[in-house]
Amino acid sequence: MSERAAPFYCPYCGDEDLRPNEQSHGAWECAACNRAFQLKFLGLLARGVQRDETGGDRI
């Protein structure tokens, strides 16, 4: 897993012009809507991924 995962688009306006914000780890700036946001990995769910009868994955 990489040290820093990059978002593909802004969660507010959907634009792809994002730059890392130097204030904290995981913080990003959107040049289109002039907003800053932070990404944080919370952890894995305890239930994990379960298989259903059709062979597909279900969360």
Side-chain angles (χ1 to χ4, degrees), residues 9-50:
Y9 56 89
C10 174
Y12 299 100
C13 71
D15 199 83
E16 297 176 356
D17 190 7
L18 302 176
R19 297 181 180 102
N21 184 307
E22 297 179 5
Q23 290 183 359
S24 65
H25 180 71
W28 293 86
E29 299 173 358
C30 177
C33 68
N34 203 30
R35 289 186 170 132
F37 59 93
Q38 186 171 13
L39 300 177
K40 182 177 179 183
F41 178 71
L42 299 177
L44 298 174
L45 298 175
R47 65 177 183 248
V49 176
Q50 301 170 355

